[in-house]
Amino acid sequence: MFRRYMLIFILVSGLVICWSSVSSAQKLMIADFNRGKKPNLIGGDFGAWDKNELDRSQYCVESFTANPKIVYGSRGCSLRIDYDVDSANTPAYNGFWMKLEKIDLVPYNYLTFYVKGDKKRGFSTDFSLIVKNTEKQKASFMVRGVDENWQKILIPLDAMKKDGNFTETTELLIVFDENVVTKKVGTIYIDNITLE
């Protein structure tokens, strides 16, 4: 009888351990920006990029804000991205990049993050998001409807997995393109980039 209970205990314990490891693989926080410094939580660098660094009429700059009236969750930091694509030198585009350290996206259903626009400076309600892999394949998504309140954006990964091999994902890009943005100069805030 004791052996039977011991066997059941071992089986149940094994199932609990397996279930907890599966459930922990269902969510991976890539960046919460709370430390206010690089790298992200998986060791990847990040920063702003410009189409042409010599063209000062268009630019993108990243920084951190700890203003409790702005940050997501009212503590720590959030990422601030100031962009300007109001330039006579076309095409005008720039953005933000983040290294993803060859993450395997297969176990995940969504790439999620929180975003809001800066009410005082203004912001685009729309921008592009691109994910790249080691085979130089990329998947593009449109983010629409950004407003002045924090909202969670869910990017479904199913279509991307069908179009390419994202077992080694290298980079995430946010792109402000003059042909996509609804306001050519502005500021957005980003927080809690996560795979779920």
Side-chain angles (χ1 to χ4, degrees), residues 35-68:
R35 297 174 301 143
K37 62 181 182 177
K38 302 176 183 184
N40 61 26
L41 297 176
I42 59 171
D45 197 7
F46 55 86
W49 59 272
D50 296 310
K51 180 197 119 189
N52 181 351
E53 292 181 8
L54 300 176
D55 180 3
R56 296 185 182 202
S57 68
Q58 50 184 300
Y59 67 87
C60 189
V61 178
E62 97 282 353
S63 61
F64 301 100
T65 181
N67 183 337

Side-chain angles (χ1 to χ4, degrees), residues 76-141:
C77 294
S78 291
L79 181 72
R80 174 180 173 146
I81 304 174
D82 298 304
Y83 71 90
D84 183 339
V85 291
D86 190 9
S87 171
N89 301 324
T90 59
Y93 57 90
N94 52 46
F96 172 79
W97 58 270
M98 177 174 283
K99 295 296 183 184
L100 296 180
E101 303 301 297
K102 297 184 179 178
I103 290 177
D104 181 0
L105 296 186
V106 172
Y108 303 100
N109 296 316
Y110 298 98
L111 170 67
T112 71
F113 59 94
Y114 286 84
V115 63
K116 74 181 265 184
D118 187 291
K119 185 177 179 180
K120 289 182 181 174
R121 189 160 189 261
F123 56 93
S124 174
T125 61
D126 303 345
F127 58 85
S128 303
L129 185 137
I130 297 172
V131 179
K132 295 181 178 180
N133 68 11
T134 53
E135 298 174 14
K136 301 191 191 264
Q137 297 169 320
K138 61 183 182 178
S140 299
F141 306 91

Side-chain angles (χ1 to χ4, degrees), residues 110-176:
Y110 298 98
L111 170 67
T112 71
F113 59 94
Y114 286 84
V115 63
K116 74 181 265 184
D118 187 291
K119 185 177 179 180
K120 289 182 181 174
R121 189 160 189 261
F123 56 93
S124 174
T125 61
D126 303 345
F127 58 85
S128 303
L129 185 137
I130 297 172
V131 179
K132 295 181 178 180
N133 68 11
T134 53
E135 298 174 14
K136 301 191 191 264
Q137 297 169 320
K138 61 183 182 178
S140 299
F141 306 91
M142 285 300 302
V143 176
R144 298 186 189 278
V146 175
D147 62 30
E148 61 191 55
N149 300 303
W150 284 108
Q151 58 182 296
K152 186 176 184 179
I153 304 295
L154 280 83
I155 306 290
L157 300 177
D158 288 345
M160 184 175 72
K161 292 174 195 175
K162 291 174 188 170
D163 293 339
N165 177 15
F166 285 89
T167 56
E168 291 189 339
T169 310
T170 56
E171 192 172 21
L172 176 148
L173 297 168
I174 290 174
V175 181
F176 302 102

